[in-house]
Amino acid sequence: MLHWGSWPINALPSWSALNNVELNGVAISVMEADRGSGIVTLKDTDAKDPVLMTVPRELVLSLETIWEFAKSDQDLNRILHAVGDFGQNARGAILVFLLIQVTASSSDVARRIGNAHPWYDYIRFLPTNFSMPTFWTDEERKLLRGTSLAPALRNKLKAIDREFAHLRTATESLECCKAWWDADFGYLTIQDYLRVDALYRSRAMDLPGTGLALVPCIDMANHGSGDATNALYETNAHGNAILVLATGKAPKAGEELLITYGDDKGACEMVFSYGFIDPNLEDARSLFLGIEIPDDDPLKLAKIEAFDAAPGFRVYKSYGELSWYGPFVWLQCVNEEDGLEFRVLQCNNGERELQVLWEGAIIDGVLALEKCLERSNMWDVFRLRAYVAIVERIKIQLEAHEAVNEERTKLTTAEQIVRPEFEKIALALSRLEAKLLRQAVTEFEDTIVHLLSTAEVKRYLNAEEIMNEPVQAVGNANEDDFS
């Protein structure tokens, strides 16, 4: 494993000054109550002077800037090209860059890799301990059973393994990567990769005009939701990242500046990406549940092939209203007799394309299916099928919540098996998700009752009942009477 150096946060002002980061009446300090570092005001703020921090564009890590660095950094350039598509998205490119910087700053590595960059030092100010579930023990992860985070975490860990294996396969033949893979002095491990992934997940921001990026110093800001948010990040006319006062906010001297990590993010996503739950959450706000197509569905394989995302649906609250979203649910609820069809098209380049058709017409993939169903006179029937499938899946999830409660009790009472801070997070997540799901069952069942009363659904159900009645053969009662 690489040696991750650590510098005290009180040395950060020197780094900031050296790299032209402008701090306007603010400071980065260690916060109380184990909240890590944060940004506080040194004086009363004024809306007439809203810019609190300016970070030069060349310090911002984004897909564009990483590839700009690669023009003058041969090692970075070779690695980015070697990893292929992985280096063509912001996350992949940034992870590669961070691994190079950590390797270069590691005192254990004999051969230098990549060019020196200010992040070579800045990375030493970042945390080396994380509370995200990717760093929990196996026993601690068991506490997540019955929550929507459990399958998401399993998939994440599998993805991490695949990415790390791809990184090794793609780069182990490069001379510059001997510091990673050499049998005698290679130091890069899956734990190092988990750390850079955690740094990206917990600190990446969607910077206006730039896209997903890591921004030094601004990334020290802690989360505050709703009215607690008093600052936000933007890009100025010169392409620099800036931290500015939120509209209508004027924190006094000594107050902490808080940005939002996403007021629409649910409890599951907060734990997954940041390792904590917003204390202001009254329920889980949003969660994703996987759903499966029955084995007796003749179009099952085609439906799975046509849908290139996780099969399932999201239950969420927006402005207090409960709803759901899931294109896959509509795909699950219709079949050939309704008008759904799949066709394989042979392309000129030899590849094959799976086309989705509704009532004989090609549609623009699965995402366009819902619009087609809305125009059908069977729309209420399709909605009824969807809501029934969703409620059944939610009830299964609630049963799983109840089933693991006793197991959680056993785990949390066993001495020194789980850390109390992770126990608290897991139990809070379970409670918040169960609350949201129970409310969803109540409201969605009301919708089912309403749909059952509609004229179209009644006609459909009556027709189904007639078709399923046993048919008696004509003259059957007198078949033995030959008179």
mmCIF file of all heavy atoms in Angstrom, residues 269-287:
data_model
loop_
_atom_site.group_PDB
_atom_site.id
_atom_site.type_symbol
_atom_site.label_atom_id
_atom_site.label_comp_id
_atom_site.label_asym_id
_atom_site.label_seq_id
_atom_site.Cartn_x
_atom_site.Cartn_y
_atom_site.Cartn_z
ATOM 1 N N GLU A 269 -28.225 7.731 -0.625
ATOM 2 C CA GLU A 269 -27.162 8.351 -1.405
ATOM 3 C C GLU A 269 -26.201 9.140 -0.525
ATOM 4 O O GLU A 269 -24.990 9.176 -0.780
ATOM 5 C CB GLU A 269 -27.756 9.266 -2.479
ATOM 6 C CG GLU A 269 -26.719 9.807 -3.454
ATOM 7 C CD GLU A 269 -27.314 10.632 -4.570
ATOM 8 O OE1 GLU A 269 -28.559 10.736 -4.643
ATOM 9 O OE2 GLU A 269 -26.539 11.180 -5.372
ATOM 10 N N MET A 270 -26.718 9.767 0.531
ATOM 11 C CA MET A 270 -25.846 10.511 1.445
ATOM 12 C C MET A 270 -24.873 9.572 2.156
ATOM 13 O O MET A 270 -23.678 9.867 2.271
ATOM 14 C CB MET A 270 -26.686 11.273 2.469
ATOM 15 C CG MET A 270 -27.512 12.405 1.899
ATOM 16 S SD MET A 270 -26.533 13.771 1.216
ATOM 17 C CE MET A 270 -25.875 14.507 2.716
ATOM 18 N N VAL A 271 -25.373 8.435 2.619
ATOM 19 C CA VAL A 271 -24.498 7.468 3.283
ATOM 20 C C VAL A 271 -23.501 6.895 2.284
ATOM 21 O O VAL A 271 -22.309 6.757 2.575
ATOM 22 C CB VAL A 271 -25.328 6.340 3.933
ATOM 23 C CG1 VAL A 271 -24.396 5.286 4.543
ATOM 24 C CG2 VAL A 271 -26.242 6.894 5.008
ATOM 25 N N PHE A 272 -23.989 6.565 1.093
ATOM 26 C CA PHE A 272 -23.138 5.958 0.073
ATOM 27 C C PHE A 272 -21.987 6.881 -0.327
ATOM 28 O O PHE A 272 -20.835 6.457 -0.424
ATOM 29 C CB PHE A 272 -23.999 5.634 -1.156
ATOM 30 C CG PHE A 272 -23.239 4.995 -2.287
ATOM 31 C CD1 PHE A 272 -22.990 3.640 -2.298
ATOM 32 C CD2 PHE A 272 -22.781 5.757 -3.350
ATOM 33 C CE1 PHE A 272 -22.293 3.052 -3.346
ATOM 34 C CE2 PHE A 272 -22.085 5.184 -4.405
ATOM 35 C CZ PHE A 272 -21.844 3.820 -4.398
ATOM 36 N N SER A 273 -22.287 8.156 -0.550
ATOM 37 C CA SER A 273 -21.280 9.079 -1.071
ATOM 38 C C SER A 273 -20.494 9.820 -0.005
ATOM 39 O O SER A 273 -19.331 10.171 -0.215
ATOM 40 C CB SER A 273 -21.948 10.114 -1.994
ATOM 41 O OG SER A 273 -22.513 9.491 -3.123
ATOM 42 N N TYR A 274 -21.130 10.077 1.156
ATOM 43 C CA TYR A 274 -20.494 10.934 2.159
ATOM 44 C C TYR A 274 -20.322 10.275 3.526
ATOM 45 O O TYR A 274 -19.579 10.788 4.355
ATOM 46 C CB TYR A 274 -21.308 12.223 2.322
ATOM 47 C CG TYR A 274 -21.568 12.925 1.018
ATOM 48 C CD1 TYR A 274 -22.834 12.943 0.445
ATOM 49 C CD2 TYR A 274 -20.531 13.558 0.339
ATOM 50 C CE1 TYR A 274 -23.069 13.582 -0.767
ATOM 51 C CE2 TYR A 274 -20.755 14.197 -0.872
ATOM 52 C CZ TYR A 274 -22.033 14.206 -1.424
ATOM 53 O OH TYR A 274 -22.261 14.820 -2.620
ATOM 54 N N GLY A 275 -21.029 9.194 3.767
ATOM 55 C CA GLY A 275 -20.859 8.497 5.038
ATOM 56 C C GLY A 275 -21.607 9.107 6.198
ATOM 57 O O GLY A 275 -21.271 8.854 7.351
ATOM 58 N N PHE A 276 -22.634 9.916 5.912
ATOM 59 C CA PHE A 276 -23.464 10.452 6.995
ATOM 60 C C PHE A 276 -24.872 10.701 6.468
ATOM 61 O O PHE A 276 -25.121 10.659 5.256
ATOM 62 C CB PHE A 276 -22.875 11.750 7.574
ATOM 63 C CG PHE A 276 -22.949 12.932 6.641
ATOM 64 C CD1 PHE A 276 -24.064 13.767 6.622
ATOM 65 C CD2 PHE A 276 -21.895 13.241 5.782
ATOM 66 C CE1 PHE A 276 -24.130 14.862 5.765
ATOM 67 C CE2 PHE A 276 -21.952 14.330 4.928
ATOM 68 C CZ PHE A 276 -23.080 15.138 4.925
ATOM 69 N N ILE A 277 -25.798 10.936 7.385
ATOM 70 C CA ILE A 277 -27.176 11.248 7.038
ATOM 71 C C ILE A 277 -27.490 12.652 7.533
ATOM 72 O O ILE A 277 -27.171 13.002 8.673
ATOM 73 C CB ILE A 277 -28.158 10.233 7.670
ATOM 74 C CG1 ILE A 277 -27.943 8.844 7.068
ATOM 75 C CG2 ILE A 277 -29.614 10.665 7.466
ATOM 76 C CD1 ILE A 277 -28.821 7.776 7.688
ATOM 77 N N ASP A 278 -28.108 13.445 6.676
ATOM 78 C CA ASP A 278 -28.520 14.791 7.058
ATOM 79 C C ASP A 278 -29.469 14.684 8.257
ATOM 80 O O ASP A 278 -30.515 14.034 8.173
ATOM 81 C CB ASP A 278 -29.235 15.455 5.883
ATOM 82 C CG ASP A 278 -29.504 16.936 6.128
ATOM 83 O OD1 ASP A 278 -29.747 17.311 7.287
ATOM 84 O OD2 ASP A 278 -29.482 17.713 5.152
ATOM 85 N N PRO A 279 -29.129 15.298 9.389
ATOM 86 C CA PRO A 279 -29.976 15.181 10.584
ATOM 87 C C PRO A 279 -31.361 15.790 10.420
ATOM 88 O O PRO A 279 -32.257 15.522 11.222
ATOM 89 C CB PRO A 279 -29.168 15.911 11.662
ATOM 90 C CG PRO A 279 -28.273 16.849 10.910
ATOM 91 C CD PRO A 279 -27.948 16.139 9.640
ATOM 92 N N ASN A 280 -31.552 16.595 9.380
ATOM 93 C CA ASN A 280 -32.853 17.231 9.166
ATOM 94 C C ASN A 280 -33.828 16.363 8.377
ATOM 95 O O ASN A 280 -34.984 16.742 8.199
ATOM 96 C CB ASN A 280 -32.660 18.565 8.430
ATOM 97 C CG ASN A 280 -31.883 19.580 9.254
ATOM 98 O OD1 ASN A 280 -32.120 19.717 10.453
ATOM 99 N ND2 ASN A 280 -30.945 20.270 8.626
ATOM 100 N N LEU A 281 -33.371 15.204 7.913
ATOM 101 C CA LEU A 281 -34.250 14.331 7.144
ATOM 102 C C LEU A 281 -35.342 13.734 8.030
ATOM 103 O O LEU A 281 -35.050 13.179 9.085
ATOM 104 C CB LEU A 281 -33.455 13.202 6.493
ATOM 105 C CG LEU A 281 -32.670 13.518 5.217
ATOM 106 C CD1 LEU A 281 -31.968 12.266 4.707
ATOM 107 C CD2 LEU A 281 -33.570 14.080 4.145
ATOM 108 N N GLU A 282 -36.591 13.830 7.571
ATOM 109 C CA GLU A 282 -37.706 13.227 8.298
ATOM 110 C C GLU A 282 -38.015 11.827 7.783
ATOM 111 O O GLU A 282 -38.636 11.026 8.475
ATOM 112 C CB GLU A 282 -38.943 14.111 8.176
ATOM 113 C CG GLU A 282 -38.768 15.483 8.823
ATOM 114 C CD GLU A 282 -40.013 16.338 8.711
ATOM 115 O OE1 GLU A 282 -40.984 15.885 8.063
ATOM 116 O OE2 GLU A 282 -40.013 17.454 9.256
ATOM 117 N N ASP A 283 -37.622 11.555 6.550
ATOM 118 C CA ASP A 283 -37.711 10.212 5.986
ATOM 119 C C ASP A 283 -36.565 10.064 4.991
ATOM 120 O O ASP A 283 -35.726 10.960 4.861
ATOM 121 C CB ASP A 283 -39.070 9.964 5.315
ATOM 122 C CG ASP A 283 -39.414 11.022 4.273
ATOM 123 O OD1 ASP A 283 -38.542 11.331 3.437
ATOM 124 O OD2 ASP A 283 -40.539 11.546 4.302
ATOM 125 N N ALA A 284 -36.508 8.946 4.276
ATOM 126 C CA ALA A 284 -35.360 8.678 3.404
ATOM 127 C C ALA A 284 -35.308 9.585 2.185
ATOM 128 O O ALA A 284 -34.299 9.632 1.489
ATOM 129 C CB ALA A 284 -35.384 7.218 2.964
ATOM 130 N N ARG A 285 -36.388 10.275 1.900
ATOM 131 C CA ARG A 285 -36.507 11.235 0.794
ATOM 132 C C ARG A 285 -36.490 10.561 -0.570
ATOM 133 O O ARG A 285 -37.285 10.890 -1.457
ATOM 134 C CB ARG A 285 -35.425 12.291 0.853
ATOM 135 C CG ARG A 285 -35.613 13.408 -0.189
ATOM 136 C CD ARG A 285 -34.471 14.398 -0.136
ATOM 137 N NE ARG A 285 -34.548 15.285 1.015
ATOM 138 C CZ ARG A 285 -33.520 15.904 1.558
ATOM 139 N NH1 ARG A 285 -32.321 15.680 1.071
ATOM 140 N NH2 ARG A 285 -33.669 16.709 2.584
ATOM 141 N N SER A 286 -35.599 9.618 -0.780
ATOM 142 C CA SER A 286 -35.497 8.954 -2.071
ATOM 143 C C SER A 286 -34.779 7.628 -1.891
ATOM 144 O O SER A 286 -33.832 7.521 -1.102
ATOM 145 C CB SER A 286 -34.729 9.835 -3.067
ATOM 146 O OG SER A 286 -34.478 9.144 -4.258
ATOM 147 N N LEU A 287 -35.235 6.603 -2.625
ATOM 148 C CA LEU A 287 -34.527 5.322 -2.613
ATOM 149 C C LEU A 287 -34.855 4.551 -3.886
ATOM 150 O O LEU A 287 -35.885 4.767 -4.519
ATOM 151 C CB LEU A 287 -34.856 4.498 -1.370
ATOM 152 C CG LEU A 287 -36.303 4.061 -1.121
ATOM 153 C CD1 LEU A 287 -36.618 2.757 -1.837
ATOM 154 C CD2 LEU A 287 -36.552 3.895 0.376
#
